[in-house]
Amino acid sequence: MSTTQSERLRELLEPLVNSQGLDLEEIAVDSVGRKRVLRVVVDSDTGADLDRIADVSRELSAKLDETDAMGQGEYTLEVGTPGAERPLTEHRHYVRAVDRLVKFQLVEGGELVARILDVDDEGLDLEVPGVKGRKATSRRLGFPEIEKARVQVEFNRKDKKEEEA
């Protein structure tokens, strides 16, 4: 039996989120003054546009209204997607980050910034950008070697279509 409010909310809301073709990534209940804010983060392999977010928000709101999962006090429901620099914590996060630049904190110490080329059950095939005119190199990184990973925002990257033209 779940003990924390977040676990109870996850059990209640995850089936609704999944029924909309989305994954429930995170639930957080925060106090802001006297009010509480329930933040729900959703995502999918194809992303989540505003219409899908609005649909799931209505579903979650209706479900919360018919239960006492949030108690009697006022709260605000916020439904959104992970930020641009999201941490990668699940296998599906790495799959969704293929072709993205990622900063890895390694278990053995140190950092590595590389582009994810492919993901399988054991780890990642990466392209490590060349430094000072050197060519990029390939590297294999197993999941057990990764302490933390976070997608990096790239402002100057050329689109693949631009590179092929």
Side-chain angles (χ1 to χ4, degrees):
M1 180 76 184
S2 296
T3 56
T4 69
Q5 183 179 27
S6 291
E7 289 172 336
R8 288 190 304 271
L9 287 167
R10 179 173 286 277
E11 286 178 7
L12 178 70
L13 303 179
E14 193 161 33
L16 289 173
V17 171
N18 292 343
S19 75
Q20 296 288 324
L22 299 168
D23 295 317
L24 179 59
E25 297 292 350
E26 184 179 327
I27 290 180
V29 181
D30 300 312
S31 294
V32 180
R34 292 184 180 182
K35 292 188 179 183
R36 292 174 299 145
V37 178
L38 171 57
R39 290 186 177 89
V40 178
V41 178
V42 298
D43 201 6
S44 79
D45 290 343
T46 58
D49 62 25
L50 289 177
D51 290 335
R52 288 177 82 185
I53 298 291
D55 290 344
V56 78
S57 182
R58 281 189 290 277
E59 293 261 345
L60 297 180
S61 181
K63 187 67 165 184
L64 289 165
D65 286 348
E66 71 184 38
T67 68
D68 67 345
M70 287 298 294
Q72 300 301 316
E74 277 187 42
Y75 69 93
T76 301
L77 172 63
E78 294 179 2
V79 180
T81 58
E85 292 185 348
R86 71 169 310 155
L88 306 177
T89 58
E90 302 282 337
H91 186 271
R92 68 178 178 265
H93 299 164
Y94 290 96
V95 172
R96 291 174 187 160
V98 167
D99 203 37
R100 302 284 308 271
L101 196 64
V102 175
K103 184 179 201 177
F104 298 93
Q105 299 288 326
L106 304 177
V107 171
E108 66 190 27
E111 294 180 346
L112 172 67
V113 177
R115 188 169 310 285
I116 297 177
L117 300 176
D118 194 25
V119 180
D120 59 33
D121 290 341
E122 286 79 42
L124 314 167
D125 291 327
L126 305 173
E127 178 183 73
V128 181
V131 180
K132 296 183 180 179
R134 294 185 181 158
K135 286 189 172 189
T137 57
S138 297
R139 177 166 177 184
R140 177 77 180 165
L141 190 62
F143 288 118
E145 299 175 74
I146 302 169
E147 179 75 31
K148 293 180 188 176
R150 184 176 297 274
V151 171
Q152 302 296 288
V153 175
E154 294 181 86
F155 293 107
N156 298 327
R157 179 161 189 234
K158 290 182 181 178
D159 190 350
K160 275 186 173 182
K161 292 175 187 170
E162 288 179 35
E163 292 175 3
E164 292 171 1

